Amino acid sequence: MVPLLLVLLLALILFGAGFAVKILWWVALAVLVLWLIGFVARPKNSSGRWYRW
């Protein structure tokens, strides 16, 4: 019974990790798109940086 519970727990952890990694890929893609939009649409009269830091 214990090995069955360990296998089920491992499957649950791996499924959760896979879901989290997929969410992180979507977040990274969104940040990349926002960065590219900011890079293209930066003001021409400033020092070239569109961010404040």
Side-chain angles (χ1 to χ4, degrees):
M1 186 71 178
V2 173
L4 179 65
L5 288 175
L6 288 176
V7 168
L8 288 174
L9 183 63
L10 182 63
L12 185 65
I13 289 172
L14 289 177
F15 175 75
F19 186 73
V21 167
K22 189 172 183 179
I23 293 294
L24 287 175
W25 273 111
W26 282 110
V27 168
L29 184 65
V31 168
L32 177 66
V33 167
L34 288 174
W35 180 77
L36 287 175
I37 289 171
F39 184 75
V40 170
R42 69 176 185 254
K44 302 292 186 220
N45 56 0
S46 68
S47 64
R49 293 188 305 166
W50 59 273
Y51 46 85
R52 294 177 189 244
W53 27 276

